[in-house]
Amino acid sequence: MNTTNALIETEYRLGAHNYKPIDVVLSRGEGVYVWDLDGNRYLDCLSAYSAVNQGHCHPKILAAMVEQAQKLTLTSRAFRNDQLAHFYEELAALTGSHKILPMNSGAEAVETAVKAVRKWGYEVKGVAQNKAEIIVCSNNFHGRTMGIVGFSTDPDARTGFGPFAPGFRTVPFGDIEAFRAAINENTVAFLIEPIQGEAGVMIPPQGYFPEVRTLCSRHGITLILDEIQTGLGRTGKLLAEEHEGIEADVTLIGKALSGGFYPISAVLSNSEVLGVLQPGQHGSTFGGNPLACAIARAALKALTEEDMIGNSARMGDRFQNGLKNIRSNIIKDVRGRGLMLAVELVPEAGGARKYCEALKERGILAKDTHGDTIRIAPPLVITQDQVDWAVEQFAGVLTSN
Ligand SMILES: *Cc1c(COP(=O)(O)O)cnc(C)c1O
């Protein structure tokens, strides 16, 4: 048996089967490309769900990581370290946030926000104890922890994992009247993705978010935008909220905050919401550690100094136009913002997975989502020639059937 098959077999034998990956075993990455054990090169059109926006193994982030790892990696927040303040300062300057709480995974950032807005609801808004409600959207994806799967509407995510925590109400994504109708005196927050990524790159109707913003302000509801996937340049803006002309009260970021080197997430907020947390009420051993802070600082710097956000907007338009020009009777829709793109196939196409397998044979790694949709999200450093080449491969796969 060759190495590739042996590794796949061992994974299958010893690992829990909570993923069904495409059978490519990668051993190296650089920029937009990754290589498998046989030396085949692929254009990465997933970017680890947008964690690798800066490109694989970005040299400056790598250098910052190595340099910091040789000095100090972890102190816990029982003591202070010399990186955290700089991380706060640079992130606050970039995003305009007044308070920051660093965590590790995206799900932890979501859980942190849920805790903070509940407490804010009781202490600042005056909601009766244990009555706080958070409105969420159907088809949301906010992570995999117990609290979060409890308010998922995806049967795979929740079936068999109950009982779940109460205090969540679900409304359809993009439906302003449903949101308005779900508001009551106990509503403390609305938690929503600016674009639903896992659901298949779903963009809400024009004008939805400005109305959401108005209703949240009028009713004293904290607007929490989960920008863990949409944030940090993916949609061609630093934050996807900029497309809507609004500002969230709380913004969640993760994924590309480390450029793919390390799990780093953060809750960004006004002073009021995170202001309710007192010493001992929330924390994480690794959250805000000096290695994470040094990596995140370099990752943010690469994003802005190398114009990756502008490139995302330009290359995203080019990629989307290229896909829209493909004449194929199996394409139902092409949509996206910046380099967060999706091709939805007609049901008769027989599911997106086999087209992702065919793309792999042509040197592109992309991920099917929700059955009929191919999600496309290359690193933001992709060039014009690489976009054009990728479009040709998509055309080849989507018109040869
Ligand atoms: C990936 C993701 C999360 C969860 O992040 P993890 O690091 O996997 O816990 C939450 N929200 C959105 C929108 C995501 O895309």
Side-chain angles (χ1 to χ4, degrees):
M1 199 161 27
N2 66 26
T3 313
T4 296
N5 288 338
L7 291 175
I8 291 171
E9 193 278 328
T10 305
E11 270 190 31
Y12 194 79
R13 189 163 41 84
L14 295 177
H17 298 175
N18 57 325
Y19 279 93
K20 189 172 178 288
I22 287 183
D23 283 334
V24 57
V25 180
L26 303 170
S27 57
R28 189 160 77 83
E30 188 184 328
V32 296
Y33 294 116
V34 286
W35 285 263
D36 70 14
L37 285 172
D38 300 320
N40 297 310
R41 189 184 78 173
Y42 303 92
L43 177 63
D44 182 359
C45 278
L46 184 64
S47 306
Y49 301 94
S50 297
V52 196
N53 284 0
Q54 296 87 339
H56 288 275
C57 298
H58 189 287
K60 289 188 177 163
I61 309 174
L62 174 65
M65 180 176 192
V66 170
E67 193 191 333
Q68 184 62 40
Q70 288 168 334
K71 289 196 287 202
L72 183 68
T73 58
L74 183 63
T75 55
S76 86
R77 299 284 304 277
F79 311 117
R80 298 180 191 272
N81 71 70
D82 69 351
Q83 291 295 310
L84 184 59
H86 295 299
F87 167 65
Y88 283 163
E89 222 163 31
E90 289 161 19
L91 188 54
L94 191 61
T95 59
S97 311
H98 297 138
K99 285 267 179 245
I100 300 168
L101 198 159
M103 295 294 285
N104 311 286
S105 68
E108 285 178 321
V110 176
E111 294 277 357
T112 300
V114 167
K115 283 178 69 176
V117 290
R118 281 180 169 181
K119 197 158 190 286
W120 170 86
Y122 302 128
E123 292 182 0
V124 180
K125 187 168 177 172
V127 171
Q129 276 309 307
N130 292 321
K131 294 286 183 212
E133 286 185 5
I134 297 172
I135 301 175
V136 299
C137 289
S138 43
N139 301 320
N140 68 67
F141 184 83
H142 298 291
R144 298 294 198 169
T145 55
M146 269 320 308
I148 293 169
V149 299
F151 57 79
S152 169
T153 59
D154 176 358
D156 282 340
R158 43 183 293 127
T159 307
F161 301 124
F164 300 119
F168 298 94
R169 230 175 229 269
T170 308
V171 297
F173 182 71
D175 182 340
I176 195 68
E177 289 315 316
F179 174 58
R180 192 195 310 273
I183 295 170
N184 63 36
E185 76 274 15
N186 296 325
T187 309
V188 295
F190 186 28
L191 168 62
I192 180 169
E193 300 153 84
I195 296 173
Q196 288 190 324
E198 298 310 297
V201 187
M202 308 310 286
I203 301 172
Q206 183 82 35
Y208 173 68
F209 270 106
E211 289 193 65
V212 163
R213 180 64 272 179
T214 302
L215 284 173
C216 286
S217 299
R218 184 180 305 153
H219 295 280
I221 296 167
T222 302
L223 176 58
I224 309 172
L225 287 184
D226 180 345
E227 296 241 23
I228 292 167
Q229 189 164 148
T230 54
L232 304 180
R234 175 49 58 191
T235 69
K237 304 270 190 196
L238 177 71
L239 296 172
E241 68 173 18
E242 294 168 46
H243 292 288
E244 310 289 351
I246 61 155
E247 274 185 36
D249 301 303
V250 173
T251 302
L252 311 177
I253 56 173
K255 294 202 165 113
L257 186 51
S258 75
F261 282 84
Y262 202 81
I264 309 173
S265 66
V267 179
L268 314 176
S269 126
N270 56 27
S271 302
E272 203 174 272
V273 174
L274 282 180
V276 301
L277 296 176
Q278 301 301 318
Q281 295 173 349
H282 190 64
S284 158
T285 303
F286 279 82
N289 74 68
L291 184 57
C293 290
I295 293 169
R297 293 176 66 197
L300 291 172
K301 205 168 165 193
L303 209 58
T304 51
E305 277 189 354
E306 298 174 36
D307 189 32
M308 292 183 191
I309 302 171
N311 195 58
S312 171
R314 291 187 298 273
M315 293 304 114
D317 283 349
R318 190 177 182 91
F319 211 144
Q320 187 167 168
N321 287 332
L323 292 168
K324 282 184 166 151
N325 284 332
I326 298 174
R327 293 282 150 260
S328 163
N329 52 15
I330 60 169
I331 296 179
K332 183 176 165 193
D333 188 31
V334 172
R335 57 178 174 267
R337 268 194 190 141
L339 282 168
M340 186 170 188
L341 299 163
V343 177
E344 186 177 344
L345 306 178
V346 298
E348 301 77 53
R353 173 89 182 194
K354 69 177 185 201
Y355 298 94
C356 291
E357 301 275 359
L359 284 165
K360 180 197 139 201
E361 297 309 312
R362 288 171 171 265
I364 290 192
L365 296 181
K367 174 76 170 67
D368 54 299
T369 182
H370 279 249
D372 293 323
T373 302
I374 307 173
R375 184 217 318 241
I376 306 164
L380 310 185
V381 297
I382 195 167
T383 65
Q384 203 164 295
D385 288 348
Q386 290 163 341
V387 167
D388 295 347
W389 176 83
V391 169
E392 273 172 45
Q393 307 318 309
F394 276 90
V397 163
L398 296 171
T399 55
S400 70
N401 285 273

